[in-house]
């Protein structure tokens, strides 16, 4: 055996063992106030976004044709009962299909959407009622593990961010809900990496709805890995070195435990205001700033120049034909920001008039990446927008981060509630709020979750 390979495997095994031990230590005591407050925001945001996604035309049609096996568990926003596993998958799909789900810039993706469906599924499958304290601890632990793997992973450029590193957090949450010790949690994390899906960027950019199932696959992988660990069929063998650390990309193992227990990436997530990939958001914010007091119209514009970081380069493609394709086309999203006051469910609907107007205007939008802006990553995900008018004048605006970022006007609870109320209506926002507020004190999370809106 190659000694260097053996050493690297030991590094991965030791890091996961340490990570698991710290996460298990969270159990049995109230969460520290910052983490407790943060998980409340994460739950409210993701449950609200999932309900909004479930009501989209795409999800209504998908559920109608899913031929789901009958059962007693309702997916959020669904009227027909099905099995726990199917409900979890449908919820996961709905959570990400509008690109409004909470994210984390250090993880370069969406930990919560990977973790919460698995935590809910594990709670519903548990042989005894799961308390709110255990559930919240599991979500925080799962989020932290997922975020740290996203932070430690340098993906090969052809891989999208969904469906692989997030499975580690899903496995953590499910294992903790099942009462696993540190060794079992480590085994679940490691084995989850052997169950991940191939997630090509090209599929996303083509607007293929299959992309929205990757998070569901990661949640399923996490729940399955927790079952494997509980049965003693797997252990922390270093599988992650060969999957996340070789096939998907490379892992900086030190980041898995860097400042562990002192720094919580869970506290450094962001809430999204625009229904598009977060790599478009800073540019949208700059456009909206320029339009806010403008005396000009789009007819006065000769062309628009957008500079942003290289992470957004896969989004430079044009001419989308679907909502998903539109959400991941930077020229199109920027064009939409010029012809619409909001990047929302309606503005990126391919059958709407805004979609047609944005497509026409996008011919005037030029995008490029900047090494200067790359140097600011990951703390700043900046964009600069310059408008050149037909009369020869120009005007510019720069956004250092998307609005809602932890470092740039993060959403407080009032702003988040307003977002959810806009998406699902005030009455359902109130129901969601009540469920989230009651979780900490409940002795039976699964029963409480039956109060979530189902139509």
């Amino acid at each position: 055996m190659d000694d260097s390979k053996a050493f690297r495997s030991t590094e991965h095994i030791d890091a996961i063992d340490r990570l698991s031990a710290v996460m298990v230590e969270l159990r049995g005591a109230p969460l520290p106030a910052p983490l407790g407050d943060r998980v409340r925001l994460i739950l409210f945001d993701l449950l609200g976004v999932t309900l909004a996604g479930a009501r989209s035309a795409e999800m209504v049609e998908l559920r109608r044709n899913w031929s789901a096996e009958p059962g007693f568990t309702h997916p959020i926003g669904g009227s027909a009962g099905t099995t726990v596993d199917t409900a979890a998958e449908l919820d996961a799909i709905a959570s990400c299909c509008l690109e409004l789900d909470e994210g984390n810039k250090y993880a370069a993706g969406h930990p919560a959407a990977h973790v919460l469906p698995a935590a809910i599924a594990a709670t519903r499958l548990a042989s005894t009622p799961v308390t709110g304290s255990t559930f919240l601890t599991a979500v925080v632990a799962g989020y932290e593990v997922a975020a740290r793997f996203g932070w430690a992973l340098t993906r090969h450029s052809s891989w999208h961010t969904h469906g692989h590193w997030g499975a580690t957090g899903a496995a953590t949450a499910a294992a903790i809900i099942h009462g696993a010790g540190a060794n079992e949690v480590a085994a679940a994390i490691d084995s989850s990496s052997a169950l991940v899906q191939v997630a090509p960027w090209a599929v996303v950019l083509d607007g293929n709805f299959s992309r929205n199932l990757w998070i569901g696959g990661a949640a399923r992988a996490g729940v399955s890995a927790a079952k494997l660990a509980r049965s003693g069929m797997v252990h922390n063998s270093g599988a992650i070195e060969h999957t996340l650390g070789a096939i998907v990309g490379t892992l900086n193992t030190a980041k898995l435990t860097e400042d562990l227990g002192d720094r919580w990436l869970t506290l450094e997530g962001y809430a999204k205001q625009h229904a598009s990939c977060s790599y478009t958001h800073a540019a949208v914010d700059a456009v909206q700033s320029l339009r806010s007091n403008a005396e000009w119209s789009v007819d006065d514009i000769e062309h628009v120049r957008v500079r942003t970081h290289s992470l957004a380069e896969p989004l430079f493609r044009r001419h989308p034909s679907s909502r998903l394709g539109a959400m991941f086309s930077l020229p199109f999203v920027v064009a939409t920001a010029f012809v619409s006051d909001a990047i929302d469910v309606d503005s990126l609907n391919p059958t709407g008039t805004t979609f047609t107007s944005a497509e026409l205007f996008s011919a005037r939008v030029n995008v490029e990446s900047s090494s200067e802006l790359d140097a600011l990553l990951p703390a700043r995900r900046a964009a600069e927008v310059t408008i050149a008018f037909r009369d020869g004048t120009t005007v510019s605006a720069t956004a250092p981060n998307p609005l809602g970022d932890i470092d740039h006007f993060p959403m407080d609870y009032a702003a988040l509630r307003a977002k959810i109320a806009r998406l699902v209506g005030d009455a359902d926002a109130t129901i969601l709020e009540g469920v989230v507020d009651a979780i900490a004190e409940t002795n039976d999370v699964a029963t409480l979750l039956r109060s979530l809106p189902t139509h």
Side-chain angles (χ1 to χ4, degrees):
M1 177 183 289
D2 186 321
D3 288 340
S4 65
K5 288 183 180 295
F7 175 72
R8 289 201 304 273
S9 293
T10 300
E11 269 192 335
H12 287 79
I13 290 169
D14 291 347
I16 294 169
D17 281 343
R18 185 180 169 205
L19 186 60
S20 301
V22 172
M23 295 305 111
V24 169
E25 286 174 4
L26 285 173
R27 191 167 49 203
L31 287 169
L35 289 173
D37 292 341
R38 181 63 194 163
V39 73
R40 179 180 181 233
L41 291 177
I42 289 170
L43 291 175
F44 190 28
D45 192 10
L46 193 62
L47 291 173
V49 166
T50 301
L51 180 57
R55 291 173 173 172
S56 68
E58 295 91 335
M59 282 303 299
V60 170
E61 186 68 11
L62 183 66
R63 284 197 307 274
R64 190 173 72 85
N65 290 281
W66 196 258
S67 299
E69 56 273 55
F72 300 101
T73 303
H74 286 78
I76 298 172
S79 58
T82 184
T83 65
V84 170
D85 290 340
T86 297
E89 185 157 22
L90 290 171
D91 286 346
I93 299 168
S95 75
C96 67
C97 71
L98 295 180
E99 268 297 299
L100 279 165
D101 48 311
E102 186 268 0
N104 190 293
K105 65 184 177 183
Y106 295 103
H110 303 268
H114 289 80
V115 170
L116 187 56
I120 291 175
T123 297
R124 287 169 166 163
L125 292 169
S127 58
T128 58
V130 174
T131 67
S133 175
T134 296
F135 180 81
L136 294 175
T137 297
V139 172
V140 168
Y143 188 108
E144 187 67 23
V145 168
R148 283 181 173 271
F149 272 99
W151 187 35
L153 175 66
T154 300
R155 288 172 290 109
H156 294 314
S157 59
S158 60
W159 283 77
H160 185 253
T161 62
H162 285 187
H164 37 83
W165 55 259
T168 63
T172 301
I176 286 178
I177 284 169
H178 289 319
N183 288 340
E184 281 187 14
V185 172
I189 290 172
D190 189 62
S191 63
S192 72
S193 75
L195 304 173
V196 301
Q197 301 175 106
V198 178
W201 255 114
V203 170
V204 183
L205 302 176
D206 289 340
N208 189 323
F209 197 87
S210 299
R211 168 263 187 188
N212 292 324
L213 276 67
W214 294 338
I215 280 180
R220 183 172 59 249
V223 172
S224 296
K227 292 176 181 178
L228 287 171
R230 189 179 187 185
S231 67
M233 294 295 103
V234 293
H235 65 281
N236 180 14
S237 64
I240 277 177
E241 178 191 13
H242 310 298
T243 54
L244 300 184
I247 295 172
V248 179
T250 57
L251 274 176
N252 181 346
T253 310
K255 286 187 174 182
L256 295 177
T257 57
E258 186 176 311
D259 297 325
L260 186 61
D262 294 320
R263 179 185 182 185
W264 291 90
L265 295 185
T266 302
L267 300 176
E268 301 180 41
Y270 60 82
K272 299 180 73 172
Q273 302 197 68
H274 310 305
S276 59
C277 176
S278 65
Y279 295 162
T280 70
H281 287 202
V284 170
D285 294 337
V287 172
Q288 291 182 338
S289 174
L290 290 168
R291 288 187 63 206
S292 60
N293 295 302
E295 297 180 355
W296 44 264
S297 72
V298 293
D299 294 333
D300 300 319
I301 297 174
E302 180 70 30
H303 66 264
V304 176
R305 178 181 178 234
V306 180
R307 290 200 316 148
T308 189
H309 49 80
S310 61
L311 293 177
E313 286 181 355
L315 279 64
F316 287 5
R317 290 175 60 168
R318 298 174 179 272
H319 311 306
S321 59
S322 66
R323 185 195 305 277
L324 180 60
M327 293 189 298
F328 284 84
S329 169
L330 181 58
F332 187 89
V333 172
V334 169
T336 305
F338 277 98
V339 301
S340 174
D341 292 334
I343 307 298
D344 57 15
V345 179
D346 294 330
S347 62
L348 296 185
N349 183 344
T351 64
T353 57
T354 299
F355 198 96
T356 302
S357 298
E359 172 65 12
L360 290 172
F361 187 81
S362 68
R364 286 183 261 172
V365 178
N366 302 307
V367 295
E368 61 186 59
S369 57
S370 162
S371 58
E372 297 173 50
L373 299 184
D374 275 354
L376 304 177
L377 293 168
R380 293 189 178 184
R381 297 173 296 151
E384 176 189 81
V385 175
T386 301
I387 303 172
F389 296 102
R390 298 190 191 280
D391 65 5
T393 62
T394 63
V395 63
S396 297
T398 301
N401 267 309
L403 289 170
D405 186 272
I406 187 63
D407 297 317
H408 190 58
F409 302 104
M411 278 193 197
D412 59 14
Y413 188 83
L416 181 58
R417 196 196 186 287
K419 166 190 169 177
I420 301 305
R422 285 195 303 272
L423 288 171
V424 303
D426 190 68
D428 280 333
T430 299
I431 293 173
L432 293 170
E433 189 175 27
V435 170
V436 172
D437 286 345
I439 284 179
E441 301 301 325
T442 187
N443 290 318
D444 188 347
V445 173
T447 296
L448 178 63
L449 292 175
R450 292 176 192 154
S451 304
L452 292 172
T454 56
H455 56 78

